[in-house]
């Protein structure tokens, strides 16, 4: 059986780009461009909590890094590198090869090389921890506290597909192979909006990635900015794969569904054309869905302009009893 060091060498050791010291020493070494600051984020993925045990390992390798790159995108940061921690219940080399393939492919696509990490044996389920490092000028970082009254609220991509896929896989909805096939990629292979985050620097003010649901994550921006917001439900970019879904699950998926890893951001109303130009440059879709207002609270208006009642809640690892 391969040792821990054999596995690291075989699947996770690659030549580091010039200027970086990667896997092989006690610490990785990298530089930050003059005038920029380090942006860093960590996410932990647990089997049975964040992914199903039968997930394609190549897709899981992709997602393990994607969720962290999404955080860099939400800060307007350029990726520099990442570290990976794996707690494995057993050694399965074909699984590791596929996982590493998915991980490295996304790392290469975004210039975020794997420069360190650790492996250990888990007594039970698989656990994955990834930490990413990026760089951004302090005056260009998107802060949750930076939203201002009158700002437009924008969302990238589409909403709702990942939530529906999760509930189908979890047995919460009746089996629907066609809808599952159309939504599963959104759940298991999200595409982080790094290029959009970079293109929006100097244009957007506040930003957050939609990992726990649009309303919940936007709520964090509002709390940090001491502001409120009005959203228009009719303007939400609903995933085409949700056509024909009943209203209650549709609303829950669009407004409360997590695992989206798109950006919700604010920008001055007079910068609308600049936002659209940035989206075109990044080959991204963006939709204006509301406005920041001074009065506290978050309202979602229906097609008739009336506030919607019983809004869905987002994901919480420790929900109140």
């Amino acid at each position: 059986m391969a040792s821990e060091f054999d596995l690291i060498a075989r699947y996770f050791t690659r030549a580091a780009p010039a200027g970086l010291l990667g896997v092989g020493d006690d610490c990785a070494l990298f530089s930050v461009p003059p005038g920029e600051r380090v942006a860093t984020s960590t996410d932990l993925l647990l089997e049975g909590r964040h992914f199903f045990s039968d997930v394609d390992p190549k897709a899981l390798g992709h997602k393990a890094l994607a969720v962290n790159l999404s955080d860099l995108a939400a800060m307007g940061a350029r990726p520099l590198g990442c570290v990976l921690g794996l707690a494995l219940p057993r050694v399965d080399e074909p699984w590791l090869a596929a996982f590493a393939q998915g991980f490295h492919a996304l790392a290469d696509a975004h210039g975020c090389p794997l420069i360190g990490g650790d492996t250990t044996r888990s007594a039970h389920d698989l656990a994955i921890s990834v930490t990413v490092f990026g760089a951004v000028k302090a005056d260009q970082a998107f802060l949750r506290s930076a939203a201002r009254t009158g700002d437009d609220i924008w969302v990238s991509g589409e909403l709702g597909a990942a939530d529906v896929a999760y509930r189908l896989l979890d047995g919460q909805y009746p089996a629907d192979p066609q809808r599952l096939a159309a939504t599963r990629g959104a759940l298991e292979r999200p595409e982080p909006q790094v290029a959009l985050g970079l293109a929006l620097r100097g244009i957007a003010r506040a930003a957050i990635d939609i990992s726990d649901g649009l309303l919940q994550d936007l709520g964090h921006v509002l709390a940090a900015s001491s502001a409120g917001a009005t959203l228009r439900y009719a303007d939400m970019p609903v995933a085409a794969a949700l056509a024909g879904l009943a209203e209650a699950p549709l609303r829950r998926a669009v407004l409360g569904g997590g695992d989206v890893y798109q950006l919700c951001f604010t920008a001055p109303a007079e910068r609308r054309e600049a936002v659209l130009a940035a989206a075109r440059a990044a080959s991204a879709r963006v939709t204006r869905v509301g406005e920041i207002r001074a009065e506290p609270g978050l309202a979602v208006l229906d097609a008739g302009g009336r506030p919607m009642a019983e809004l869905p809640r987002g994901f919480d690892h420790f929900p109140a009893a």
Side-chain angles (χ1 to χ4, degrees):
M1 180 182 292
S3 71
E4 173 189 359
F5 307 105
D6 292 333
L7 296 175
I8 292 172
R10 190 172 302 160
Y11 301 112
F12 300 110
T13 300
R14 306 177 89 189
L20 280 77
L21 179 67
V23 177
D25 283 78
D26 287 344
C27 291
L29 299 177
F30 61 90
S31 300
V32 180
E36 298 190 357
R37 293 184 177 182
V38 175
T40 185
S41 178
T42 297
D43 270 293
L44 181 65
L45 301 181
L46 302 177
E47 182 179 356
R49 184 64 172 175
H50 300 101
F51 59 90
F52 294 97
S53 59
D54 63 347
V55 65
D56 173 13
K58 184 177 178 180
L60 184 58
H62 172 102
K63 184 172 182 177
L65 181 56
V67 302
N68 290 84
L69 288 174
S70 185
D71 287 330
L72 292 185
M75 292 295 290
R78 176 176 58 84
L80 295 176
C82 61
V83 296
L84 167 66
L86 283 175
L88 302 167
R90 61 195 166 278
V91 173
D92 182 338
E93 294 208 39
W95 187 98
L96 280 169
F99 177 91
Q101 183 181 5
F103 190 98
H104 288 308
L106 189 64
D108 291 344
H110 290 283
C112 189
L114 180 64
I115 56 176
D118 192 23
T119 60
T120 189
R121 183 179 294 277
S122 167
H124 299 291
D125 296 328
L126 171 65
I128 306 165
S129 177
V130 176
T131 299
V132 289
F133 305 98
V136 62
K137 292 183 178 179
D139 62 353
Q140 291 185 331
F142 309 137
L143 305 181
R144 295 182 183 185
S145 58
R148 297 293 179 263
T149 301
D151 278 1
D152 290 327
I153 300 171
W154 298 80
V155 170
S156 69
E158 298 178 334
L159 301 175
D163 179 81
V164 171
Y166 172 81
R167 295 178 189 277
L168 285 167
L169 289 168
D170 196 44
Q172 297 179 35
Y173 292 163
D176 187 338
Q178 185 174 359
R179 196 183 300 278
L180 178 59
T183 57
R184 190 166 187 169
L187 174 67
E188 296 181 344
R189 292 187 60 87
E191 292 298 335
Q193 298 299 303
V194 176
L196 178 61
L198 295 176
L200 287 170
R201 291 192 297 191
I203 302 171
R205 282 184 168 141
I208 192 169
D209 83 325
I210 309 171
S211 56
D212 294 325
L214 174 60
L215 297 190
Q216 181 161 294
D217 287 320
L218 177 57
H220 297 320
V221 172
L222 301 181
S225 298
S226 300
T230 300
L231 301 178
R232 296 176 296 275
Y233 184 66
D235 292 342
M236 294 295 164
V238 180
L242 305 192
L245 196 65
E247 178 57 32
L250 179 63
R251 182 186 302 187
R252 178 169 56 198
V254 171
L255 297 178
D259 266 313
V260 180
Y261 303 106
Q262 294 290 338
L263 299 184
C264 174
F265 61 94
T266 80
E270 61 269 21
R271 303 302 307 275
R272 288 175 187 170
E273 288 304 317
V275 169
L276 294 173
R280 288 193 294 272
S283 300
R285 172 186 176 181
V286 295
T287 306
R288 186 162 52 90
V289 297
E291 295 82 32
I292 297 292
R293 51 182 170 81
E295 299 79 14
L298 175 56
V300 181
L301 306 183
D302 63 18
R306 298 174 295 271
M308 298 172 65
E310 299 182 7
L311 296 174
R313 297 175 60 185
F315 181 77
D316 187 348
H317 285 282
F318 301 98

